[in-house]
Amino acid sequence: TLSFKLHEDLAKEHDGINKWGYRKLTTLNVEVNPVRRNKHVPDAEWLSSVSGSSKIGDTTTTGQVTPGAFTQTIAKATEEKGVEISIATVTELHDNPDGTKEVIAVTNDGERISHCATDIVFAAGPWTGRLAKQLLGDKAGVALNIVPSNCSTSVILRPAQASKMVSAHALFTSIALEDGMTGAPEVYPRADGTVYVCGGAHTTEPLPEKASDVKHTPALADKLRKMAAFISPSHLGEGATMEVAQACFRPNSDVTGVPIIGKLGPGLWIASGHQVWGIQNGPATGKVMAELILEGKATSADISALEP
């Protein structure tokens, strides 16, 4: 509830509708099988031949952002307020005599940089546990419980014709194709006319050292494209283009199954383990972390079940 409201507030403050595709939408469970395609979803021309559907969320409970545009816009807004952002690989963490801590990192160009701070937050996504072990050793504690998920491929499709607009209905599906293939892809139309498709396209390769080294699996991208075309032949079938094929790992909370948010030690904090809900819960996580560090207590939400 807190993050849902904060997403709305951020969109109003920073023109999220135009800058990162913020909008409210309807969410559906949709079933499609080749034997019985005699139903249509009201107000959704692209879903004119499904086997069944039910509403699980509406505009009062469901919102959407484009993750890359959202994070980049918010990052730029923080820089305008004086925050310095460095894209680099952290290699060392040292305690200074004055009680502060020094972080040593190396940029992609090989430059060695350092930052001093009173507080360090481990929020490195699927790299959180690995980084905590590297920098803290035996003091990493529950941070070691953050482990990477399997690698998941996703695609972004665009209908063949601009006139074939895809309505604001996010889908959780259950499908069975003519060739026997089954799956449960998730389908998210975006405000820019594209459609993001993910789900069920996983591989087990290990987490690489850098995010830039994460690669998608072409066969899985083709599988998602085929499933999307089956769900909506008229809009995502023949003529639709695959604009992006990509992949990601997510930070799984291996023991509790919920995010770990709170204090690891003096000047050390953790905010990770959100699994597939990182963008959703990002604003609330940032708010309660700021309260913990600056005020000593989270007041905007009860995070007692998430504390280390």
Side-chain angles (χ1 to χ4, degrees):
T1 302
L2 176 59
S3 251
F4 189 80
K5 179 64 166 60
L6 290 175
H7 270 295
E8 185 175 40
D9 292 345
L10 287 168
K12 290 177 180 178
E13 182 178 355
H14 298 282
D15 190 23
I17 291 176
N18 293 307
K19 291 183 177 178
W20 61 76
Y22 174 82
R23 63 177 178 173
K24 303 289 185 64
L25 72 169
T26 299
T27 306
L28 305 173
N29 274 326
V30 171
E31 178 189 356
V32 188
N33 65 64
V35 177
R36 182 173 52 86
R37 302 194 66 162
N38 57 357
K39 298 183 183 299
H40 73 276
V41 176
D43 302 317
E45 179 187 353
W46 63 294
L47 300 172
S48 61
S49 59
V50 302
S51 304
S53 67
S54 60
K55 183 184 294 186
I56 57 176
D58 57 26
T59 55
T60 66
T61 60
T62 309
Q64 180 184 39
V65 304
T66 300
F70 171 66
T71 53
Q72 290 166 16
T73 303
I74 295 302
K76 183 178 179 181
T78 64
E79 288 181 308
E80 291 172 352
K81 292 183 178 295
V83 173
E84 180 180 347
I85 298 176
S86 299
I87 306 298
T89 300
V90 177
T91 57
E92 303 171 41
L93 176 63
H94 302 292
D95 292 319
N96 292 324
D98 63 357
T100 62
K101 299 180 184 299
E102 182 183 20
V103 174
I104 307 296
V106 179
T107 68
N108 290 335
D109 296 327
E111 178 187 1
R112 189 172 184 267
I113 60 176
S114 69
H115 292 286
C116 287
T118 58
D119 295 89
I120 306 293
V121 181
F122 283 83
W127 288 271
T128 299
R130 178 189 295 180
L131 185 62
K133 181 178 181 180
Q134 172 193 331
L135 299 179
L136 303 178
D138 295 339
K139 297 180 181 179
V142 296
L144 299 179
N145 294 339
I146 305 300
V147 299
S149 69
N150 289 336
C151 184
S152 300
T153 291
S154 59
V155 298
I156 299 175
L157 307 175
R158 185 178 292 278
Q161 302 175 21
S163 60
K164 291 189 172 183
M165 294 300 295
V166 180
S167 61
H169 290 81
L171 312 181
F172 291 86
T173 74
S174 174
I175 67 174
L177 280 68
E178 293 92 337
D179 61 6
M181 179 188 294
T182 60
E186 300 173 15
V187 183
Y188 300 95
R190 290 177 170 173
D192 65 357
T194 62
V195 180
Y196 173 85
V197 186
C198 65
H202 308 306
T203 53
T204 58
E205 65 260 30
L207 181 73
E209 290 298 317
K210 297 180 180 180
S212 58
D213 294 330
V214 176
K215 306 299 181 184
H216 77 278
T217 301
L220 293 179
D222 290 340
K223 176 183 176 182
L224 289 172
R225 182 175 185 172
K226 181 178 180 179
M227 288 183 171
F230 179 72
I231 293 168
S232 179
S234 61
H235 288 61
L236 302 179
E238 184 177 356
T241 56
M242 184 162 62
E243 293 195 345
V244 177
Q246 58 196 0
C248 69
F249 291 81
R250 298 166 303 282
N252 286 346
S253 184
D254 197 36
V255 175
T256 64
V258 297
I260 303 175
I261 300 174
K263 197 166 192 173
L264 286 176
L268 299 173
W269 306 83
I270 183 172
S272 190
H274 294 70
Q275 303 182 70
V276 298
W277 307 108
I279 293 295
Q280 178 197 31
N281 289 317
T285 300
K287 186 173 183 63
V288 298
M289 281 304 307
E291 292 169 349
L292 285 171
I293 294 172
L294 299 176
E295 303 169 13
K297 182 180 180 181
T299 55
S300 294
D302 179 5
I303 61 167
S304 57
L306 311 179
E307 293 175 341

